[in-house]
Amino acid sequence: MFYRSLKSSSKLVNFEEAVKKGLAEDGGLFFPQKIKKLKKEFIENLEKFSNIDIAYEVIKQFIGNEINENDLKNILTKTIDYDFPLVDIEKNVKTLELFHGPTLAFKDVGARFMANCLGHFNKKSNKLNTVLVATSGDTGAAVANGFLDVKGTNVVILYPKNMVSEIQEKQLTTNKKNITAFRVNGTFDDCQQMVKKAFTDKELNNELNLTSANSINVARWLPQMFYYFFAIKHLKTFNKKIVFSVPSGNFGNICAGAIAMKLGLPVDQFVASTNSNDTIPRYLSSKNYKPKKTIPTISNAMDVSNPSNFIRIEEIYQDFNELKNNFSSYSFDDDKTINAVKSVYKNSNYILDPHGAVGYLGLKKFLANKTDFIGIFLETAHPIKFSNHIENKLNLKLKIPNSISKILTKEKIFTDVSTYSDLKKILIINQKKN
Ligand SMILES: *Cc1c(COP(=O)(O)O)cnc(C)c1O
Protein backbone atom coordinates (compact mmCIF):
# COMPACT_ATOMS: atom_id res chain seq x y z
CA MET A 1 0.00 0.00 0.00
CA PHE A 2 1.21 3.48 -0.85
CA TYR A 3 0.57 6.72 0.95
CA ARG A 4 0.62 10.21 -0.49
CA SER A 5 1.08 13.52 1.27
CA LEU A 6 -2.02 15.70 1.55
CA LYS A 7 0.16 18.68 0.60
CA SER A 8 1.48 17.37 -2.69
CA SER A 9 0.46 14.00 -4.02
CA SER A 10 3.52 13.46 -6.19
CA LYS A 11 5.80 11.42 -3.95
CA LEU A 12 4.49 8.08 -2.68
CA VAL A 13 5.89 6.13 0.28
CA ASN A 14 5.09 2.63 1.50
CA PHE A 15 3.53 1.78 4.87
CA GLU A 16 6.86 1.21 6.62
CA GLU A 17 8.17 4.57 5.53
CA ALA A 18 4.93 6.33 6.47
CA VAL A 19 5.10 4.81 9.97
CA LYS A 20 8.77 5.64 10.44
CA LYS A 21 8.46 9.19 9.12
CA GLY A 22 5.14 10.13 10.74
CA LEU A 23 4.80 13.22 8.54
CA ALA A 24 5.65 13.58 4.84
CA GLU A 25 8.79 15.51 3.88
CA ASP A 26 6.68 18.47 2.76
CA GLY A 27 5.02 18.56 6.20
CA GLY A 28 1.72 17.09 4.92
CA LEU A 29 -0.24 14.25 6.54
CA PHE A 30 -0.08 10.86 4.86
CA PHE A 31 -3.27 9.49 3.28
CA PRO A 32 -3.85 6.09 1.62
CA GLN A 33 -3.47 6.27 -2.13
CA LYS A 34 -6.48 3.97 -2.70
CA ILE A 35 -9.33 2.69 -0.53
CA LYS A 36 -10.99 -0.52 -1.65
CA LYS A 37 -14.46 -1.54 -0.39
CA LEU A 38 -14.70 -4.76 1.63
CA LYS A 39 -16.94 -7.63 0.51
CA LYS A 40 -20.63 -7.30 1.36
CA GLU A 41 -20.89 -10.76 2.81
CA PHE A 42 -18.07 -9.96 5.26
CA ILE A 43 -19.79 -6.79 6.48
CA GLU A 44 -23.18 -8.48 6.79
CA ASN A 45 -21.74 -11.36 8.80
CA LEU A 46 -19.42 -9.61 11.25
CA GLU A 47 -20.79 -11.58 14.21
CA LYS A 48 -19.36 -14.75 12.71
CA PHE A 49 -15.78 -13.44 12.90
CA SER A 50 -13.42 -13.00 15.86
CA ASN A 51 -12.17 -9.49 16.63
CA ILE A 52 -8.72 -10.45 15.34
CA ASP A 53 -10.14 -11.71 12.04
CA ILE A 54 -12.23 -8.55 11.64
CA ALA A 55 -9.23 -6.35 12.40
CA TYR A 56 -7.13 -8.31 9.89
CA GLU A 57 -9.71 -7.94 7.09
CA VAL A 58 -10.09 -4.24 7.82
CA ILE A 59 -6.41 -3.27 8.03
CA LYS A 60 -4.75 -5.60 5.52
CA GLN A 61 -5.17 -3.44 2.41
CA PHE A 62 -3.48 -0.55 4.24
CA ILE A 63 -0.35 -2.63 4.83
CA GLY A 64 -0.29 -4.56 1.56
CA ASN A 65 2.42 -7.19 1.31
CA GLU A 66 4.81 -5.40 3.67
CA ILE A 67 3.82 -7.61 6.61
CA ASN A 68 2.72 -11.21 5.94
CA GLU A 69 -0.61 -12.60 7.19
CA ASN A 70 0.89 -14.52 10.07
CA ASP A 71 2.99 -11.63 11.37
CA LEU A 72 0.13 -9.15 10.95
CA LYS A 73 -2.24 -11.41 12.89
CA ASN A 74 0.39 -11.68 15.64
CA ILE A 75 0.66 -7.91 15.81
CA LEU A 76 -3.14 -7.65 16.01
CA THR A 77 -3.29 -10.28 18.74
CA LYS A 78 -0.87 -8.21 20.83
CA THR A 79 -2.86 -5.06 20.05
CA ILE A 80 -6.44 -6.07 20.87
CA ASP A 81 -6.29 -8.70 23.60
CA TYR A 82 -9.17 -7.12 25.56
CA ASP A 83 -12.90 -6.43 25.22
CA PHE A 84 -14.82 -3.64 23.54
CA PRO A 85 -18.30 -4.08 25.03
CA LEU A 86 -21.41 -2.35 23.72
CA VAL A 87 -23.57 -1.28 26.68
CA ASP A 88 -27.23 -0.18 26.67
CA ILE A 89 -27.80 3.23 28.20
CA GLU A 90 -31.31 4.19 27.06
CA LYS A 91 -33.71 3.11 24.35
CA ASN A 92 -31.79 3.43 21.06
CA VAL A 93 -28.74 4.80 22.90
CA LYS A 94 -25.71 2.60 23.44
CA THR A 95 -22.09 3.16 24.30
CA LEU A 96 -19.05 1.34 23.01
CA GLU A 97 -16.54 1.14 25.87
CA LEU A 98 -13.02 1.68 24.58
CA PHE A 99 -11.27 1.92 27.96
CA HIS A 100 -10.51 -1.70 28.80
CA GLY A 101 -6.92 -1.52 27.58
CA PRO A 102 -3.83 -1.27 29.81
CA THR A 103 -3.87 2.53 30.25
CA LEU A 104 -7.67 2.83 30.38
CA ALA A 105 -8.15 5.10 27.37
CA PHE A 106 -8.89 4.31 23.73
CA LYS A 107 -5.43 5.38 22.57
CA ASP A 108 -4.04 1.98 23.62
CA VAL A 109 -5.07 0.36 20.33
CA GLY A 110 -3.27 2.85 18.11
CA ALA A 111 -0.20 3.03 20.34
CA ARG A 112 0.15 -0.74 20.60
CA PHE A 113 -0.39 -1.27 16.88
CA MET A 114 2.24 1.31 15.99
CA ALA A 115 4.71 -0.08 18.55
CA ASN A 116 4.32 -3.63 17.29
CA CYS A 117 4.65 -2.58 13.63
CA LEU A 118 7.89 -0.70 14.41
CA GLY A 119 9.14 -3.66 16.43
CA HIS A 120 8.39 -5.88 13.42
CA PHE A 121 10.24 -3.62 10.97
CA ASN A 122 13.17 -3.30 13.39
CA LYS A 123 13.71 -7.07 13.46
CA LYS A 124 15.63 -6.62 10.24
CA SER A 125 17.88 -3.81 11.46
CA ASN A 126 20.07 -2.84 14.37
CA LYS A 127 19.08 0.78 14.16
CA LEU A 128 17.54 2.39 17.18
CA ASN A 129 14.43 4.57 16.67
CA THR A 130 13.71 7.30 19.16
CA VAL A 131 10.00 7.91 19.52
CA LEU A 132 9.42 11.45 20.69
CA VAL A 133 6.00 12.33 22.03
CA ALA A 134 4.44 15.38 23.66
CA THR A 135 1.43 14.58 25.82
CA SER A 136 -1.33 16.22 27.78
CA GLY A 137 -1.78 12.87 29.56
CA ASP A 138 -3.41 9.96 27.74
CA THR A 139 -1.24 9.73 24.61
CA GLY A 140 2.03 9.52 26.54
CA ALA A 141 0.66 6.81 28.82
CA ALA A 142 -0.56 4.68 25.92
CA VAL A 143 2.66 5.15 23.95
CA ALA A 144 4.85 4.32 26.97
CA ASN A 145 2.86 1.19 27.66
CA GLY A 146 2.71 0.11 24.02
CA PHE A 147 6.45 0.61 23.39
CA LEU A 148 7.74 -0.88 26.65
CA ASP A 149 10.40 -3.47 25.71
CA VAL A 150 9.78 -3.11 21.95
CA LYS A 151 13.01 -3.94 20.13
CA GLY A 152 14.96 -1.07 18.58
CA THR A 153 12.92 1.70 20.19
CA ASN A 154 13.56 4.34 22.81
CA VAL A 155 10.63 6.46 23.91
CA VAL A 156 11.01 10.04 25.11
CA ILE A 157 7.90 11.60 26.67
CA LEU A 158 7.49 15.30 27.33
CA TYR A 159 4.69 16.31 29.67
CA PRO A 160 3.72 19.63 31.24
CA LYS A 161 4.53 20.11 34.93
CA ASN A 162 1.43 20.39 37.16
CA MET A 163 -0.96 19.82 34.25
CA VAL A 164 -1.48 16.08 34.21
CA SER A 165 -3.41 14.15 36.85
CA GLU A 166 -1.59 12.08 39.51
CA ILE A 167 -2.66 8.83 37.84
CA GLN A 168 -1.51 10.09 34.45
CA GLU A 169 1.87 11.18 35.86
CA LYS A 170 2.38 7.76 37.43
CA GLN A 171 1.57 6.15 34.09
CA LEU A 172 4.17 8.34 32.39
CA THR A 173 7.04 8.08 34.87
CA THR A 174 7.09 4.57 36.34
CA ASN A 175 7.96 2.50 33.27
CA LYS A 176 11.82 2.56 33.24
CA LYS A 177 13.56 0.33 30.61
CA ASN A 178 13.33 2.00 27.18
CA ILE A 179 10.95 4.76 28.35
CA THR A 180 12.26 8.15 29.58
CA ALA A 181 10.03 10.94 30.88
CA PHE A 182 10.79 14.66 30.88
CA ARG A 183 8.74 17.03 33.02
CA VAL A 184 8.62 20.31 31.14
CA ASN A 185 8.39 23.55 33.01
CA GLY A 186 5.57 24.86 30.78
CA THR A 187 2.30 23.94 29.06
CA PHE A 188 1.36 21.18 26.64
CA ASP A 189 1.94 23.66 23.80
CA ASP A 190 5.51 24.19 25.04
CA CYS A 191 6.04 20.41 24.97
CA GLN A 192 4.69 20.27 21.44
CA GLN A 193 6.96 23.15 20.40
CA MET A 194 10.01 21.24 21.68
CA VAL A 195 8.97 18.16 19.70
CA LYS A 196 8.52 20.19 16.52
CA LYS A 197 11.91 21.83 17.04
CA ALA A 198 13.55 18.44 17.53
CA PHE A 199 12.15 17.16 14.22
CA THR A 200 13.64 20.06 12.27
CA ASP A 201 16.98 19.97 14.14
CA LYS A 202 19.48 18.39 11.70
CA GLU A 203 22.19 17.89 14.31
CA LEU A 204 19.84 16.01 16.64
CA ASN A 205 18.41 13.95 13.77
CA ASN A 206 21.94 12.88 12.82
CA GLU A 207 22.44 11.49 16.31
CA LEU A 208 18.97 10.00 16.84
CA ASN A 209 16.52 8.39 14.45
CA LEU A 210 13.46 10.41 15.41
CA THR A 211 9.88 9.16 14.92
CA SER A 212 6.64 10.75 16.06
CA ALA A 213 3.90 8.83 17.84
CA ASN A 214 1.23 11.50 17.77
CA SER A 215 -2.14 10.69 16.17
CA ILE A 216 -1.07 11.90 12.75
CA ASN A 217 0.97 8.68 12.36
CA VAL A 218 -0.96 6.31 10.07
CA ALA A 219 -0.21 3.34 12.35
CA ARG A 220 -1.90 5.12 15.24
CA TRP A 221 -4.75 6.49 13.16
CA LEU A 222 -5.97 3.59 11.01
CA PRO A 223 -6.47 0.80 13.61
CA GLN A 224 -9.14 3.00 15.20
CA MET A 225 -11.37 1.81 12.34
CA PHE A 226 -11.76 -1.45 14.26
CA TYR A 227 -14.03 0.13 16.90
CA TYR A 228 -16.77 0.89 14.40
CA PHE A 229 -16.73 -2.67 13.05
CA PHE A 230 -16.78 -4.13 16.59
CA ALA A 231 -19.77 -1.92 17.49
CA ILE A 232 -21.78 -3.08 14.50
CA LYS A 233 -20.75 -6.67 15.13
CA HIS A 234 -22.40 -6.41 18.59
CA LEU A 235 -25.39 -4.52 17.21
CA LYS A 236 -26.35 -7.25 14.74
CA THR A 237 -29.49 -5.43 13.56
CA PHE A 238 -29.59 -3.67 10.23
CA ASN A 239 -33.19 -2.42 10.37
CA LYS A 240 -32.42 1.07 11.67
CA LYS A 241 -30.10 3.80 10.51
CA ILE A 242 -26.90 4.00 12.50
CA VAL A 243 -25.30 7.12 13.98
CA PHE A 244 -21.97 7.26 15.83
CA SER A 245 -21.15 10.12 18.18
CA VAL A 246 -17.42 10.49 18.78
CA PRO A 247 -15.92 12.73 21.48
CA SER A 248 -13.41 14.60 19.35
CA GLY A 249 -10.23 16.61 19.88
CA ASN A 250 -7.72 16.03 17.12
CA PHE A 251 -10.42 14.23 15.06
CA GLY A 252 -8.30 11.11 14.44
CA ASN A 253 -10.82 8.67 15.88
CA ILE A 254 -13.85 10.01 14.00
CA CYS A 255 -11.80 10.24 10.82
CA ALA A 256 -10.99 6.53 11.16
CA GLY A 257 -14.75 5.98 11.45
CA ALA A 258 -15.28 7.79 8.17
CA ILE A 259 -12.71 5.48 6.52
CA ALA A 260 -14.61 2.48 7.97
CA MET A 261 -17.70 3.82 6.21
CA LYS A 262 -15.68 4.11 2.97
CA LEU A 263 -14.87 0.42 3.37
CA GLY A 264 -18.61 -0.26 3.24
CA LEU A 265 -19.65 -0.25 6.90
CA PRO A 266 -23.31 0.86 7.10
CA VAL A 267 -23.03 4.16 8.97
CA ASP A 268 -25.63 6.80 8.15
CA GLN A 269 -24.31 9.68 10.21
CA PHE A 270 -21.32 10.82 12.27
CA VAL A 271 -21.56 13.32 15.09
CA ALA A 272 -18.32 14.98 16.16
CA SER A 273 -18.97 16.02 19.75
CA THR A 274 -16.62 18.64 21.13
CA ASN A 275 -16.13 20.53 24.38
CA SER A 276 -15.91 24.34 24.36
CA ASN A 277 -13.17 24.09 21.73
CA ASP A 278 -15.73 24.42 18.95
CA THR A 279 -13.81 25.20 15.75
CA ILE A 280 -15.52 22.44 13.76
CA PRO A 281 -19.13 23.05 14.93
CA ARG A 282 -18.61 26.72 14.03
CA TYR A 283 -17.07 25.75 10.69
CA LEU A 284 -20.02 23.51 9.76
CA SER A 285 -22.53 26.24 10.44
CA SER A 286 -20.59 29.15 8.93
CA LYS A 287 -18.20 27.52 6.40
CA ASN A 288 -15.57 29.68 8.07
CA TYR A 289 -12.59 27.79 9.55
CA LYS A 290 -11.32 29.95 12.37
CA PRO A 291 -9.53 28.33 15.34
CA LYS A 292 -9.54 30.34 18.56
CA LYS A 293 -7.19 30.11 21.52
CA THR A 294 -7.49 26.68 23.21
CA ILE A 295 -9.77 26.64 26.26
CA PRO A 296 -8.90 24.27 29.15
CA THR A 297 -11.84 21.98 30.05
CA ILE A 298 -12.57 18.92 32.21
CA SER A 299 -12.44 16.75 29.08
CA ASN A 300 -8.82 17.79 28.65
CA ALA A 301 -7.82 15.19 26.04
CA MET A 302 -10.09 17.12 23.64
CA ASP A 303 -8.66 20.57 24.35
CA VAL A 304 -7.64 21.16 20.76
CA SER A 305 -8.67 24.15 18.71
CA ASN A 306 -6.99 23.32 15.41
CA PRO A 307 -7.55 19.58 14.91
CA SER A 308 -4.72 18.13 12.82
CA ASN A 309 -6.81 15.33 11.32
CA PHE A 310 -9.56 17.55 9.96
CA ILE A 311 -7.66 17.83 6.69
CA ARG A 312 -8.11 14.05 6.30
CA ILE A 313 -11.87 14.44 6.81
CA GLU A 314 -11.93 17.03 4.06
CA GLU A 315 -10.11 14.55 1.83
CA ILE A 316 -12.75 11.89 2.53
CA TYR A 317 -15.70 14.22 1.91
CA GLN A 318 -14.66 16.07 -1.19
CA ASP A 319 -17.10 18.97 -0.86
CA PHE A 320 -18.71 20.95 1.93
CA ASN A 321 -22.29 19.84 1.19
CA GLU A 322 -21.32 16.19 1.07
CA LEU A 323 -19.66 16.68 4.46
CA LYS A 324 -22.67 18.45 5.93
CA ASN A 325 -25.04 15.69 4.81
CA ASN A 326 -23.17 12.96 6.64
CA PHE A 327 -21.40 14.76 9.44
CA SER A 328 -22.77 16.90 12.28
CA SER A 329 -20.84 18.58 15.04
CA TYR A 330 -21.98 20.08 18.35
CA SER A 331 -20.15 21.68 21.25
CA PHE A 332 -20.91 21.41 25.00
CA ASP A 333 -19.35 23.32 27.89
CA ASP A 334 -18.22 21.87 31.24
CA ASP A 335 -21.51 22.62 33.03
CA LYS A 336 -23.52 20.67 30.45
CA THR A 337 -20.92 17.88 30.60
CA ILE A 338 -21.17 17.51 34.38
CA ASN A 339 -24.97 17.66 34.21
CA ALA A 340 -24.89 14.78 31.71
CA VAL A 341 -22.62 12.77 34.05
CA LYS A 342 -25.15 13.33 36.84
CA SER A 343 -28.31 12.62 34.84
CA VAL A 344 -26.99 9.46 33.19
CA TYR A 345 -25.91 8.17 36.61
CA LYS A 346 -29.33 8.96 38.06
CA ASN A 347 -31.41 7.61 35.17
CA SER A 348 -29.32 4.74 33.86
CA ASN A 349 -26.97 3.99 36.76
CA TYR A 350 -24.00 4.37 34.40
CA ILE A 351 -20.87 6.38 35.20
CA LEU A 352 -19.62 8.43 32.26
CA ASP A 353 -16.22 10.08 32.12
CA PRO A 354 -16.23 13.72 30.94
CA HIS A 355 -15.21 12.76 27.36
CA GLY A 356 -17.91 10.12 27.05
CA ALA A 357 -20.39 12.61 28.51
CA VAL A 358 -19.66 15.01 25.65
CA GLY A 359 -20.22 12.13 23.21
CA TYR A 360 -23.53 11.28 24.92
CA LEU A 361 -24.71 14.89 24.67
CA GLY A 362 -23.88 15.09 20.97
CA LEU A 363 -25.75 11.89 20.29
CA LYS A 364 -28.85 13.03 22.21
CA LYS A 365 -28.86 16.32 20.36
CA PHE A 366 -28.72 14.56 17.01
CA LEU A 367 -31.36 11.97 17.96
CA ALA A 368 -33.93 14.50 19.20
CA ASN A 369 -37.25 13.69 17.47
CA LYS A 370 -35.70 10.96 15.32
CA THR A 371 -37.07 7.45 15.74
CA ASP A 372 -35.51 5.78 12.72
CA PHE A 373 -31.97 5.87 14.17
CA ILE A 374 -30.04 3.80 16.64
CA GLY A 375 -27.17 5.71 18.23
CA ILE A 376 -23.81 4.69 19.62
CA PHE A 377 -21.48 7.06 21.44
CA LEU A 378 -17.87 6.09 22.13
CA GLU A 379 -16.77 6.05 25.77
CA THR A 380 -13.09 6.90 25.31
CA ALA A 381 -11.71 6.80 28.87
CA HIS A 382 -12.35 5.09 32.19
CA PRO A 383 -13.96 7.51 34.69
CA ILE A 384 -11.21 6.75 37.26
CA LYS A 385 -8.79 8.81 35.17
CA PHE A 386 -10.96 11.83 35.89
CA SER A 387 -12.16 10.86 39.37
CA ASN A 388 -11.50 14.40 40.64
CA HIS A 389 -14.37 15.65 38.45
CA ILE A 390 -16.67 12.69 39.02
CA GLU A 391 -16.57 11.49 42.62
CA ASN A 392 -17.75 14.62 44.43
CA LYS A 393 -20.42 15.34 41.79
CA LEU A 394 -21.89 11.85 42.10
CA ASN A 395 -21.10 11.54 45.78
CA LEU A 396 -19.38 8.19 45.44
CA LYS A 397 -15.94 6.63 45.45
CA LEU A 398 -14.84 4.86 42.26
CA LYS A 399 -13.15 1.50 42.56
CA ILE A 400 -9.51 1.70 41.49
CA PRO A 401 -8.75 -0.87 38.74
CA ASN A 402 -5.81 -3.23 39.32
CA SER A 403 -3.68 -1.76 36.56
CA ILE A 404 -3.79 1.59 38.39
CA SER A 405 -3.33 0.41 41.97
CA LYS A 406 -0.19 -1.44 40.83
CA ILE A 407 1.52 1.77 39.74
CA LEU A 408 0.32 4.10 42.50
CA THR A 409 3.02 2.84 44.87
CA LYS A 410 5.85 3.04 42.31
CA GLU A 411 8.39 5.84 42.38
CA LYS A 412 8.09 8.53 39.71
CA ILE A 413 11.27 8.93 37.68
CA PHE A 414 11.63 11.96 35.42
CA THR A 415 14.04 14.72 34.45
CA ASP A 416 13.03 18.37 34.71
CA VAL A 417 13.69 20.50 31.64
CA SER A 418 12.92 24.14 30.90
CA THR A 419 14.49 24.78 27.52
CA TYR A 420 14.92 22.98 24.23
CA SER A 421 18.71 23.17 24.42
CA ASP A 422 18.71 21.40 27.83
CA LEU A 423 16.52 18.66 26.40
CA LYS A 424 18.76 18.26 23.37
CA LYS A 425 21.95 18.01 25.47
CA ILE A 426 20.46 15.27 27.64
CA LEU A 427 19.10 13.33 24.65
CA ILE A 428 22.52 13.32 22.96
CA ILE A 429 24.32 12.26 26.16
CA ASN A 430 21.80 9.42 26.69
CA GLN A 431 22.19 8.31 23.08
CA LYS A 432 25.97 8.03 23.44
CA LYS A 433 25.50 5.82 26.51
CA ASN A 434 23.40 3.35 24.48
C1 LIG B 1 -7.46 11.60 22.63
C2 LIG B 1 -8.78 11.50 23.29
C3 LIG B 1 -9.96 11.95 22.67
C4 LIG B 1 -9.96 12.66 21.33
O1 LIG B 1 -9.68 11.80 20.26
P1 LIG B 1 -9.25 12.40 18.83
O2 LIG B 1 -8.93 11.23 18.00
O3 LIG B 1 -8.04 13.27 19.10
O4 LIG B 1 -10.39 13.21 18.33
C5 LIG B 1 -11.17 11.75 23.31
N1 LIG B 1 -11.23 11.17 24.53
C6 LIG B 1 -10.12 10.74 25.18
C7 LIG B 1 -10.24 10.13 26.53
C8 LIG B 1 -8.85 10.87 24.58
O5 LIG B 1 -7.75 10.45 25.23
Side-chain angles (χ1 to χ4, degrees), residues 161-201:
K161 187 177 177 178
N162 301 329
M163 292 175 91
V164 298
S165 74
E166 179 65 13
I167 288 181
Q168 286 173 326
E169 191 170 24
K170 289 277 189 184
Q171 288 179 321
L172 299 171
T173 58
T174 58
N175 297 286
K176 301 186 186 161
K177 297 187 177 166
N178 59 332
I179 317 288
T180 317
F182 287 92
R183 187 173 74 168
V184 174
N185 192 4
T187 64
F188 170 61
D189 287 312
D190 297 323
C191 300
Q192 216 160 16
Q193 274 309 320
M194 287 189 184
V195 169
K196 283 194 183 141
K197 215 157 172 182
F199 277 102
T200 53
D201 184 330

Side-chain angles (χ1 to χ4, degrees), residues 218-261:
V218 294
R220 275 208 45 210
W221 168 49
L222 290 169
Q224 304 177 113
M225 292 185 292
F226 304 158
Y227 309 143
Y228 303 84
F229 284 86
F230 295 164
I232 291 187
K233 167 185 172 175
H234 290 304
L235 203 56
K236 295 185 183 108
T237 74
F238 283 91
N239 54 9
K240 281 203 177 205
K241 292 192 201 164
I242 295 168
V243 50
F244 278 101
S245 170
V246 186
S248 295
N250 243 332
F251 281 63
N253 195 358
I254 196 165
C255 180
I259 300 274
M261 182 182 67

Side-chain angles (χ1 to χ4, degrees), residues 105-107 138 224 247-254 301-302 353 355 380-381 386:
F106 81 97
K107 291 188 172 76
D138 285 344
Q224 304 177 113
S248 295
N250 243 332
F251 281 63
N253 195 358
I254 196 165
M302 313 199 296
D353 99 292
H355 304 78
T380 47
F386 305 92

Side-chain angles (χ1 to χ4, degrees), residues 104 167 382-388 391 398-401 404:
L104 310 181
I167 288 181
H382 192 295
I384 193 77
K385 288 192 107 168
F386 305 92
S387 54
N388 53 333
E391 289 180 337
L398 294 167
K399 195 171 163 263
I400 298 181
I404 299 295

